[in-house]
Amino acid sequence: MNNMSTHTEETSVNTGSKQPVLFCDFDGTITENDNILAIMEHFQPEGWKEMVDKLTSKQISLMDCVGSMFRLFPSSMRDEVASFAINNAKIRAGFEELLAYCKEQHIPFLVTSGGIDFFLKPILAPYESSIDRIYCNGSDFSGSHMEILWPHACDAECVNQGCGMCKTSIIRSFASDQYFRILIGDSISDFEGAKIADLVFSRSHLTELCEELQLPHIAFGTFHDVLGHLKKAVTR
């Protein structure tokens, strides 16, 4: 609790003339669980754990890992996999209220996710009118097995070059001299974005990584926490 209080004080800043914009992760952030991991653990396609081990040991990129894991599924399982993900997902408390506040204050809310469109977009469908844009990976079921598409690849400045859906590239597309860039996330995929954001709301592994490198951040449990701090930290 003391760490959270300290981080909150450090990051209570005025956005000045800059336009605030929120970049929010999906798996483990908007939803309480990691949907891709839940899919793999439920269906147990042969070889998926080996892909995760290779990712953890940095033998392959995140893009290679996700692409390889979904390629283990025949395209005929599209509806079954999507149905499981949709029924299994639980939206984190306070999400609707945060969206309402952003809409009221004309703060763009962007979903920046390494998730896949065929289950992510149906989960977010009830909130779509309050979300300015959803950035995620695509999917193709025309072949014998699922194929993941990557419409938001890394730009030349990305240090990872293999993100799949490159969050830092999206953040950089909003000029730092015009926008006050706020990141909300929970995992390693959000870490590089945390380094270039003006304000970070973190949980789980992202909090640990921010503390390790002493990056200013505000730890949160629900979006009610984010909303409360946002009203204090972001003034226009």
Side-chain angles (χ1 to χ4, degrees):
M1 291 296 293
N2 290 335
N3 285 341
M4 181 175 174
S5 176
T6 301
H7 294 145
T8 300
E9 291 172 4
E10 290 176 353
T11 47
S12 293
V13 296
N14 192 309
T15 63
S17 60
K18 294 183 181 181
Q19 165 68 53
V21 55
L22 270 65
F23 305 89
C24 188
D25 175 54
F26 178 73
D27 288 284
T29 302
I30 293 177
T31 58
E32 293 190 358
N33 59 310
D34 184 309
N35 298 282
I36 292 178
L37 183 59
I39 288 170
M40 296 301 155
E41 290 180 338
H42 177 76
F43 291 99
Q44 293 287 327
E46 186 175 353
W48 78 272
K49 290 184 179 179
E50 287 80 355
M51 299 301 173
V52 173
D53 289 341
K54 287 182 179 180
L55 175 65
T56 303
S57 61
K58 299 182 179 181
Q59 296 179 53
I60 59 174
S61 68
L62 181 60
M63 181 173 69
D64 290 334
C65 179
V66 173
S68 297
M69 287 194 300
F70 277 94
R71 208 171 288 124
L72 299 171
F73 290 98
S75 293
S76 59
M77 287 186 65
R78 171 183 176 167
D79 291 344
E80 185 179 356
V81 172
S83 179
F84 168 77
I86 294 165
N87 292 326
N88 186 64
K90 183 177 181 181
I91 300 296
R92 190 171 301 278
F95 182 59
E96 192 169 355
E97 291 84 349
L98 176 61
L99 288 178
Y101 172 78
C102 289
K103 193 169 186 178
E104 175 189 305
Q105 296 296 316
H106 305 289
I107 299 174
F109 187 97
L110 313 174
V111 175
T112 49
S113 171
I116 319 299
D117 60 353
F118 76 101
F119 61 82
L120 181 152
K121 289 187 175 180
I123 293 171
L124 289 178
Y127 313 97
E128 190 174 1
S129 62
S130 298
I131 297 172
D132 290 271
R133 185 164 178 183
I134 296 173
Y135 295 89
C136 67
N137 297 313
S139 51
D140 180 9
F141 304 94
S142 61
S144 62
H145 287 72
M146 297 183 185
E147 194 68 37
I148 304 305
L149 306 178
W150 318 99
H152 308 291
C154 301
D155 62 12
E157 294 183 55
C158 178
V159 299
N160 290 327
Q161 296 299 319
C163 299
M165 207 304 290
C166 185
K167 299 185 181 186
T168 57
S169 299
I170 302 300
I171 294 173
R172 275 190 292 272
S173 70
F174 290 78
S176 60
D177 60 342
Q178 299 176 41
Y179 292 93
F180 187 84
R181 305 178 300 188
I182 303 167
L183 180 142
I184 308 174
D186 79 309
S187 69
I188 294 174
S189 67
D190 302 297
F191 190 40
E192 294 301 324
K195 293 179 180 179
I196 63 175
D198 297 296
L199 176 60
V200 176
F201 289 102
S202 67
R203 58 176 309 279
S204 189
H205 298 301
L206 182 59
T207 297
E208 295 170 4
L209 289 168
C210 285
E211 289 178 348
E212 185 179 325
L213 287 192
Q214 298 184 325
L215 293 176
H217 61 283
I218 300 173
F220 74 96
T222 71
F223 285 111
H224 293 298
D225 300 328
V226 174
L227 180 55
H229 288 297
L230 195 61
K231 288 179 177 179
K232 297 175 184 178
V234 178
T235 57
R236 300 191 60 189

